[in-house]
Amino acid sequence: MAVTTTYAASALPAPDGRPDKRMTEDDVVARLSDGMTIGIGGWGSRRKPMSLVRAIARSELTDLTIVCYGGPEVGILSALGKLRRAVYGFVSLDSIPLEPHFRQARQQGTIEVTELDEGAFYLGLLAAAHRVPFYPTRAGLGSDMMLMNPDLATVTSPYPDADGVHEELVAIPAFQLDASLIHMNRADAAGNGQFLGPDLYFDDLFAKAAAATYLSCEKVVPTGDLLAEGSLHTLKIPRLFVDGVVQAPRGAHFTECPPDYGRDEAFQRAYAATAKDPDAWRTFVERWLEAPSHEAYLDRLAAERGDDRG
Amino acid sequence: MADQTGPATRDEICAVAIAEAFRGDGEVLCNPIGTTPIIGGRLARATFEPAMVMTDAISVLAANPLTVGDDDAERLVEAWMPYRDVFDVVWSGRRHVVMGASQIDAHGNQNLAAIGDWRRPKAQLLGLRGAPGNLVNHATTYWVPNHSTRSFVPSVDVVSGPGYDRVAPLSAAIRDGHEIRRVVSNLAVLDFEAPDGGADDGPRRMRLRSVHPGVTVDEVVEATGFELVVPDEVPESRLPTDEELHLIREVLDPHGYRKAEFGG
């Protein structure tokens, strides 16, 4: 006899005793320290935890390594001198193919980099999430990825192929992440995260790969409401892998966070233009990156637009 | 609105040349990157390669022909294809990508990464991106809209996508997966098919396959910074059919976005 189970929003109260992990951006930063390696979720200029990135930007933190499918967090933190190293599959603003502050950092030699094939980067996350030392891949063999990363080693397959040959593969090492920062559409106070857009990217792996994961979200909702806006398949971040929850409406601004909002292309263009104009960059830092809180940032954004917040 | 009447123009000939690169591919992920490549891929699927699957450049496989630049076009969704799944398809080998190449050499080594020393580049470019994995897994075609001795060079500054000389010493699985199907430029179509159908001596070298109408063999040779394999007879790249012109101009790119790569 087949059983058909449907999962839906529920008015059942959450049992007592579950953790309440709500905190502020500054609480998250207080748990980070100089020299840490931090994973940052999202993809290019898409669903980046920007309120947390700005909290790092206005903090005293320094000498950081960030690990990401890179977007503006790489440009902003490198231009502020917060980065020792960036580990990435690419650094792009999507509608602007190369992140302009990252371009400057590379051409001026101000940061160290670990540049990997985009797919190989995925395997570094996966290995960390699975607590194995590496995953093997063919990606990188024959290209200058090996030259650019002299620490990358190869491994010989213990199994012969059809011709009896033991194939040599690249061993992508597990990323050792002290913390990960991700941005979700919804979450509950216990840390269950939900994405409502078309792509989770690799945020579940960032959460599983890190020693601690801090999740910002557009809105904290009661657990019973998590299925009100998305199907079961959108609940990809179980609280097992989350240590802090920050409610940050428009927290991914100026990157996109569908279906809640698209990318603020005008803002992104203005940000990109600051890479060639030191005065404009100083103004950008003062106005946007040194806003004392996410609330203050949203107020400034609303004032700039002369409209209501949101 | 671009001029959408009259005889085929160079951009349309290039789109057809890219479409031709997919001929015979069957049920693979056709994954062109860039405006002219996307038009070429969609054109191939709408005509002679209907079994191919294509993304909407966001996160689904869409079965219907989509208009370039129309982000809100209705999609006939066949499957969900978030980025993680794209990598799975790459590693499956069932993909044919079209990438750009800021530099390319005689054996097909491609540079998308940087000009100068990668440690501190004179010009940072897009990076390695997915090229290292693409080339060792599945077919690749390159689109170079500015054929010159600056793009077709004796030696690339950084190897993003390895060419035939670089993969020759690698595993059988890699050599089986590696194929640079075509290099389509604004002047010509190039490939790595020696006249006898195989490399007789050393790794495969780039061959002039056809010149676009109005371009001479000498022009291509002069715009190439290494010695091309030039057959005795070099045909002209074929013209679009009436159906293809209709599809390009009315369905796939009615706003003429492809003209931008041709100074239009």
Side-chain angles (χ1 to χ4, degrees):
Chain A
M1 182 76 182
V3 177
T4 303
T5 304
T6 57
Y7 297 96
S10 171
L12 287 172
D16 292 339
R18 294 194 322 157
D20 183 341
K21 299 173 185 167
R22 286 175 290 180
M23 58 177 67
T24 67
E25 284 88 357
D26 291 331
D27 294 334
V28 173
V29 166
R31 296 189 181 200
L32 306 176
S33 50
D34 293 350
M36 273 192 168
T37 297
I38 300 172
I40 297 184
W43 172 279
S45 188
R46 308 181 200 195
R47 207 161 39 69
K48 285 286 174 179
M50 295 302 288
S51 76
L52 292 168
V53 169
R54 284 193 305 273
I56 293 174
R58 65 176 178 264
S59 77
E60 299 296 315
L61 285 172
T62 188
D63 195 35
L64 301 174
T65 293
I66 60 172
V67 178
C68 50
Y69 283 108
E73 75 277 24
V74 179
I76 287 170
L77 296 179
S78 63
L80 291 173
K82 298 281 190 192
L83 292 191
R84 182 169 65 82
R85 175 176 291 269
V87 180
Y88 56 84
F90 57 77
V91 186
S92 170
L93 299 177
D94 293 294
S95 51
I96 299 170
L98 182 63
E99 219 285 1
H101 283 281
F102 164 73
R103 180 206 305 261
Q104 286 226 324
R106 288 285 289 131
Q107 293 176 183
Q108 295 172 359
T110 54
I111 57 171
E112 298 173 14
V113 300
T114 299
E115 178 167 328
L116 297 172
D117 168 80
E118 294 174 9
F121 182 96
Y122 162 21
L123 298 179
L125 283 178
L126 194 66
H130 292 175
R131 297 189 302 123
V132 295
F134 66 88
Y135 268 118
T137 182
R138 297 189 179 103
L141 294 171
S143 87
D144 278 348
M145 189 179 103
M146 307 306 287
L147 179 72
M148 295 162 76
N149 296 283
D151 293 341
L152 271 183
T154 59
V155 63
T156 302
S157 171
Y159 306 110
D161 66 16
D163 298 320
V165 175
H166 294 260
E167 186 174 2
E168 185 166 276
L169 300 157
V170 184
I172 303 297
F175 297 146
Q176 305 296 334
L177 304 182
D178 297 305
S180 278
L181 311 177
I182 62 176
H183 186 74
M184 290 285 117
N185 298 91
R186 305 287 179 270
D188 69 6
N192 295 298
Q194 179 179 43
F195 78 109
L196 295 172
D199 201 326
L200 177 61
Y201 311 116
F202 297 81
D203 287 7
D204 55 333
L205 294 181
F206 276 103
K208 291 166 183 167
T213 293
Y214 303 99
L215 174 163
S216 59
C217 65
E218 290 298 309
K219 190 178 179 188
V220 174
V221 299
T223 303
D225 286 356
L226 283 171
L227 289 176
E229 291 185 83
S231 76
L232 187 60
H233 316 89
T234 63
L235 298 178
K236 287 290 285 180
I237 311 289
R239 63 185 166 91
L240 275 176
F241 301 107
V242 175
D243 300 86
V245 175
V246 177
Q247 177 165 283
R250 294 193 78 81
H253 182 268
F254 50 89
T255 74
E256 68 168 35
C257 187
D260 292 310
Y261 46 89
R263 185 177 302 123
D264 188 340
E265 294 285 3
F267 193 105
Q268 176 162 291
R269 278 195 297 277
Y271 160 70
T274 64
K276 287 190 172 167
D277 183 342
D279 289 337
W281 171 241
R282 271 192 294 278
T283 303
F284 185 90
V285 171
E286 282 169 24
R287 180 157 180 74
W288 302 113
L289 302 181
E290 292 178 353
S293 66
H294 185 53
E295 282 282 299
Y297 178 86
L298 293 179
D299 286 342
R300 291 179 186 187
L301 202 57
E304 171 126 328
R305 293 171 169 185
D307 62 14
D308 290 336
R309 180 189 286 183
Chain B
M1 188 68 82
D3 177 23
Q4 297 280 33
T5 59
T9 49
R10 184 68 58 81
D11 50 286
E12 292 157 345
I13 290 163
C14 289
V16 167
I18 290 167
E20 279 292 334
F22 293 103
R23 191 180 285 277
D25 273 341
E27 201 165 29
V28 302
L29 174 61
C30 165
N31 207 160
I33 299 165
T35 303
T36 303
I38 286 172
I39 295 166
R42 289 176 182 172
L43 184 63
R45 186 172 67 161
T47 53
F48 52 82
E49 282 298 329
M52 294 196 303
V53 300
M54 296 187 76
T55 76
D56 67 343
I58 301 176
S59 57
V60 301
L61 298 181
N64 56 316
L66 298 174
T67 297
V68 172
D70 182 0
D71 294 339
D72 298 322
E74 183 177 348
R75 275 96 156 144
L76 177 59
V77 174
E78 294 191 84
W80 188 30
M81 185 62 52
Y83 281 109
R84 193 177 312 185
D85 294 53
V86 173
F87 295 130
D88 291 343
V89 175
V90 169
W91 298 328
S92 81
R94 298 181 192 185
R95 182 170 182 254
H96 181 167
V97 73
V98 184
M99 291 185 286
S102 301
Q103 295 178 324
I104 192 164
D105 72 15
H107 294 300
N109 293 294
Q110 165 235 27
N111 176 16
L112 267 182
I115 299 297
D117 185 341
W118 57 268
R119 291 170 191 82
R120 184 175 172 183
K122 198 179 334 170
Q124 173 68 39
L125 306 175
L126 296 180
L128 298 170
R129 299 293 314 229
N134 291 343
L135 269 290
V136 296
N137 282 289
H138 58 65
T140 299
T141 286
Y142 291 115
W143 162 238
V144 186
N146 52 346
H147 195 140
S148 78
T149 52
R150 291 164 60 90
S151 48
F152 288 73
V153 295
S155 174
V156 300
D157 293 355
V158 180
V159 176
S160 303
Y164 284 95
D165 56 337
R166 290 283 198 119
V167 302
L170 301 178
S171 71
I174 288 176
R175 282 180 277 114
D176 289 350
H178 181 265
E179 179 191 4
I180 303 174
R181 181 75 57 82
R182 302 280 159 78
V183 179
V184 178
S185 80
N186 57 320
L187 300 181
V189 181
L190 307 112
D191 63 23
F192 294 86
E193 299 173 23
D196 61 358
D200 38 270
D201 189 25
R204 291 166 181 261
R205 291 180 56 85
M206 197 183 293
R207 178 188 79 147
L208 182 56
R209 181 183 182 92
S210 66
V211 290
H212 299 333
V215 179
T216 67
V217 170
D218 286 348
E219 283 177 74
V220 177
V221 167
E222 279 171 29
T224 302
F226 52 81
E227 192 182 340
L228 279 172
V229 178
V230 181
D232 294 339
E233 297 289 325
V234 178
E236 279 199 345
S237 310
R238 80 167 173 86
L239 293 170
T241 65
D242 290 345
E243 183 198 9
E244 286 170 332
L245 274 186
H246 164 76
L247 283 167
I248 293 170
R249 293 173 177 182
E250 310 293 333
V251 178
L252 299 175
D253 187 25
H255 305 294
Y257 287 114
R258 65 191 180 280
K259 306 283 184 187
E261 281 185 308
F262 296 84

